[in-house]
Amino acid sequence: MSGVRRRFRTHRIGGRGQPNIVVISGAVIVNDGRPLETVQANLEDMITRCHDAGVLPIVWGSPPYATYSRWSPAAQRRADAIDAWLRERTDIIFVDLEPLGIGEPPRLRPEYDPAGGDHLHPNARGRNEVGRLIYQAVWQRAVATTAQPAQPQRTPLEEHAHRHWQNLQVELFRAVQTGRPEGIVSIVRLPTDVASTVPGSATTPVFERALRHLSRDDLSRAFDRVFNEIFHDRSTPIGRAFMDWAGGQTRYQAVTRPAVALSETTPAGDRRRIVEAMVAFVNHVAGLTGDANQRLGEDLTILNRQVFSGSTDRIAADGLESAQALATLAVYSWRQRNRTRPAGHWARGIEGITLEQQQAPAQTTPAQPERRQQRRVLRGL
């Protein structure tokens, strides 16, 4: 950063032909142990020089870079602290690069991460997105400085959705696709200060109420992709198993037709039948004999009783597009990849989940040390 500061001083700011705008990368990856105060002082110096010369400073924040080779939790915390400091300033235009990322901690979205790249610098499409964000930030500042009525402040729920749900339907789908039920759990568990502001009846789960209040269809669009790309696709192991089972069920035979697909235009009754079929299939597998199927049943019990505070071991196959139903499909997907893992292994680290302790297998037979001891005694005689 000090090198950037030195190079910054060599620019002709305040002289002939000076620019009207200067873009500063405030997103310095603070992973070299440099004190936060030093980074802030360097940025402060560059911002001050801009103001003294009558130049508008635009500062962009930290890029999502969790898959970068030099990333660390400590570096992420420092970068977040710099972003928070910049975001509060009113004397700059701050450009948040959060839309370029996905996940927690944030990493570059696949469409912005070049093949063979360092997972820090985006490809051409990502750079175009950075330019769009800069343009958007400048335009918003221009609008705000004109005689326009003040924009209403975001509610806690709107702010949470703005920060964490930029790519919600994709994250929900990928949680099922990659077998990460804990990813769905982390999404649907809203912070207390956010959940308490969500309107609606307490009989409806707060996540679904939040989506409904914001007029968002992320959950439905995630179910579309789960069915179309996983359960209805015979090229996947899950798809073959589901299609074979559904084809033998009179109620669900129509679901297996090649032309069937879920989309925004699918009639409500058909949607409900398809979602019902997927959940009924998972419940069916959990009731079969075999160690892996038994573990799946225990996984579902943990999900429904501990995560979603249900009163039954299985979610009812009622066709409702709920986060609980989607998590059920994610648990099944995880179990197919981890057939010998202990029940509930996927839930380790989820707050409030209690798992039975697994006994470690014996390392030696009990008779062996006894025989060695006996030989020593005989030699002693």
Side-chain angles (χ1 to χ4, degrees):
M1 167 60 93
S2 57
V4 174
R5 181 182 176 186
R6 284 193 299 271
R7 291 194 298 273
F8 187 84
R9 288 175 175 174
T10 65
H11 284 274
R12 293 173 59 89
I13 295 181
R16 193 175 191 182
Q18 76 166 23
N20 296 319
I21 293 176
V22 171
V23 179
I24 303 172
S25 174
V28 186
I29 307 304
V30 198
N31 53 9
D32 57 359
R34 194 182 304 273
L36 210 59
E37 295 78 8
T38 301
V39 178
Q40 289 175 328
N42 289 332
L43 285 169
E44 187 73 58
D45 177 73
M46 289 187 281
I47 292 170
T48 300
R49 285 176 178 274
C50 286
H51 286 306
D52 290 346
V55 174
L56 173 65
I58 301 174
V59 189
W60 70 50
S62 299
Y65 75 113
T67 48
Y68 179 53
S69 59
R70 294 177 62 190
W71 180 90
S72 69
Q76 184 68 58
R77 287 193 294 271
R78 289 195 290 273
D80 289 345
I82 290 293
D83 277 3
W85 176 69
L86 291 170
R87 193 177 285 110
E88 292 176 356
R89 299 184 68 116
T90 58
D91 60 341
I92 65 171
I93 293 180
F94 178 71
V95 180
D96 198 335
L97 299 186
E98 184 182 30
L100 270 68
I102 185 175
E104 186 59 42
R107 62 190 183 278
L108 274 178
R109 295 182 185 278
E111 60 266 32
Y112 300 143
D113 197 0
D118 60 5
H119 308 297
L120 170 64
H121 297 91
N123 56 19
R125 184 177 175 184
R127 294 193 295 274
N128 286 340
E129 177 65 9
V130 172
R132 187 191 69 79
L133 292 171
I134 291 175
Y135 177 84
Q136 183 182 53
V138 174
W139 182 84
Q140 288 176 341
R141 170 63 71 91
V143 170
T145 55
T146 59
Q148 298 290 331
Q151 296 297 313
Q153 187 176 6
R154 290 192 186 108
T155 66
L157 174 59
E158 291 169 340
E159 184 65 27
H160 180 82
H162 173 73
R163 289 184 173 276
H164 302 286
W165 292 354
Q166 293 284 344
N167 208 28
L168 180 57
Q169 64 170 280
V170 174
E171 293 187 25
L172 290 171
F173 164 71
R174 286 182 178 165
V176 179
Q177 183 186 46
T178 60
R180 293 186 57 255
E182 71 278 10
I184 295 178
V185 174
S186 67
I187 290 172
V188 304
R189 283 188 168 181
L190 303 184
T192 303
D193 59 332
V194 174
S196 62
T197 67
V198 179
S201 171
T203 58
T204 302
V206 66
F207 177 69
E208 282 87 328
R209 281 189 280 133
L211 292 182
R212 188 179 306 160
H213 180 68
L214 296 174
S215 299
R216 296 185 58 151
D217 62 354
D218 303 82
L219 199 53
S220 293
R221 302 291 74 79
F223 271 106
D224 290 352
R225 294 191 62 186
V226 167
F227 177 71
N228 297 339
E229 300 178 34
I230 302 175
F231 279 77
H232 199 253
D233 185 355
R234 283 190 176 274
S235 68
T236 69
I238 292 177
R240 286 192 297 273
F242 169 75
M243 295 285 276
D244 288 344
W245 173 82
Q249 308 294 313
T250 303
R251 180 171 177 79
Y252 304 127
Q253 283 178 349
V255 169
T256 65
R257 294 173 183 165
V260 173
L262 276 183
S263 71
E264 296 180 19
T265 61
T266 303
D270 293 346
R271 292 191 67 88
R272 191 158 187 151
R273 181 65 59 90
I274 290 172
V275 174
E276 175 190 323
M278 291 190 289
V279 174
F281 166 70
V282 174
N283 286 343
H284 163 76
V285 175
L288 297 176
T289 58
D291 291 343
N293 298 329
Q294 180 180 348
R295 294 188 189 102
L296 172 62
E298 295 171 5
D299 289 329
L300 296 178
T301 299
I302 292 169
L303 176 75
N304 291 294
R305 288 190 178 273
Q306 296 197 49
V307 175
F308 288 97
S309 303
S311 58
T312 59
D313 294 344
R314 307 279 189 277
I315 182 177
D318 53 15
L320 295 180
E321 295 178 81
S322 65
Q324 188 174 359
L326 199 66
T328 295
L329 305 183
V331 166
Y332 172 73
S333 176
W334 179 86
R335 177 52 67 190
Q336 302 317 296
R337 293 167 170 78
N338 301 274
R339 300 182 69 84
T340 61
R341 290 281 192 180
H345 190 81
W346 56 271
R348 297 177 310 160
I350 297 179
E351 186 178 355
I353 302 300
T354 302
L355 301 176
E356 293 184 6
Q357 296 294 323
Q358 302 291 321
Q359 291 185 350
Q363 299 299 316
T364 59
T365 58
Q368 191 174 2
E370 187 176 338
R371 286 198 299 271
R372 285 198 296 268
Q373 183 180 14
Q374 208 170 28
R375 292 192 191 102
R376 286 196 297 273
V377 171
L378 289 174
R379 281 197 295 272
L381 291 175

